[in-house]
Amino acid sequence: MRTFDDELAALRAASLFRSLRTIESPQQPRVTAGGRDLRNFSSNDYLGLAASPEVKDALIRGVEKWGAGSGASRLVCGTQSPHSELESVLADFKGTEAALTFASGYAAATGTLSALLQRGDVVILDKLCHASLIDGARLSGATLRVYPHNNMDRLAHLLKWARDTAKADARIMVVTESIFSMDGDRAELAAIVALKEEHGALLMLDEAHAFGIMGAGGRGLADEAGVASRVDIHMGTLSKASGLHGGYVCGSRALIDLLINRARSFIYSTAPPPAVAAAASHVVRHLLPGESGDNRRARLRGHLALFAEKMGMSAAPQSAIIPVIIGSEQAAVECSARLLESGFLIPAIRFPTVARGSARLRVTITAAHEADDIAALAETLSL
């Protein structure tokens, strides 16, 4: 029988071993790790809200009113009014009938897909979908098919195949991210929506990396593309641009009621702290839309344009995520280590998070960065 040490040795030999890094400061553009001050270009805190006075104050008020924990799962005694209020706020924000919140984005993805799909159904995913979406699809027992990234011809072929071969009552679902988490590019949403409608399928859209960033008031890429009302299942997180924690699903009242009854990651998990839900309501209601959110998004766009200029790019990145493809896992680890020595925190992203041979640095730029930080990063990357 192989030992744990054997497996760890194999990971180290393949430059795939990972370890935890302790950050000794709040989540900000500059962090302290190992007693060193580092420029942080690895965070998903795209609008700089995680350590902002507004969010901290909202969370403190929530703790003072609602305490620290929720006590139980939502269906036992863990649903408190901040949870219900947040779901009402999210549904209104996304323009849907209802919403349901989960302990994490991973829980939202796995719980939703395994609740809605079963053996005999068909789920079709973009090849670059997040691991949580893949895991949820596998857990469901549905027939799983994958199309090459953003390849609409192949998606059309798979949808036709599914409709021709599945039973009449089978559920067929397309699953994609709107902004892809490791590449930062955009899904072909208009084409995907048209195809799923042509073939009578559902669309589950993960807006984790677009929520708060794109669309009117930060409502997401589907809003920006003008197809939000034609998306069946809106999924996202409160842990990135919102600066907090948790996941959500928005859609019809029937969809949400079904998830309440079938999503195991919801049913069997203790409810998130009510104070976090209260703070999230404040963020979605007051900090993402309106002048405050618009100013942060404008600042983020300005920083992306500055980075593009400094790097000699022909256009600004499509999102706050900028992949710097290295290739081999060992080379990516070495490049990340050199950047760390220069005072930049940008971990190497390797298999299985990305495909073998496409290891990279995943650079993320936020509204909270300063222009000199961005200029310094571009200069260092260009060396």
Side-chain angles (χ1 to χ4, degrees), residues 41-71:
F41 283 94
S42 63
S43 172
N44 294 328
D45 181 28
Y46 300 129
L47 296 182
L49 290 174
S52 68
E54 301 95 326
V55 175
K56 288 193 292 185
D57 288 346
L59 189 56
I60 290 168
R61 292 195 302 271
V63 170
E64 289 173 342
K65 183 172 182 179
W66 297 103
S70 55

Side-chain angles (χ1 to χ4, degrees), residues 16-101:
L16 296 176
F17 180 78
R18 294 162 170 84
S19 58
L20 299 176
R21 176 184 285 106
T22 299
I23 302 297
E24 300 136 5
S25 60
Q27 185 59 242
Q28 293 178 321
R30 295 209 178 196
V31 296
T32 303
R36 294 186 59 202
D37 179 52
L38 300 171
R39 289 180 164 107
N40 180 14
F41 283 94
S42 63
S43 172
N44 294 328
D45 181 28
Y46 300 129
L47 296 182
L49 290 174
S52 68
E54 301 95 326
V55 175
K56 288 193 292 185
D57 288 346
L59 189 56
I60 290 168
R61 292 195 302 271
V63 170
E64 289 173 342
K65 183 172 182 179
W66 297 103
S70 55
S73 66
R74 293 276 300 276
L75 287 172
V76 178
C77 69
T79 291
Q80 294 168 276
S81 53
H83 299 121
S84 300
E85 179 186 2
L86 173 58
E87 287 161 356
S88 177
V89 169
L90 282 166
D92 181 66
F93 187 72
K94 295 291 286 185
T96 61
E97 291 179 353
L100 188 67
T101 53

Side-chain angles (χ1 to χ4, degrees), residues 93-94 178 207 210-225:
F93 187 72
K94 295 291 286 185
S178 60
E207 293 262 44
F211 185 76
I213 304 298
M214 296 168 181
R219 287 172 175 80
L221 186 62
D223 179 87
E224 183 176 299

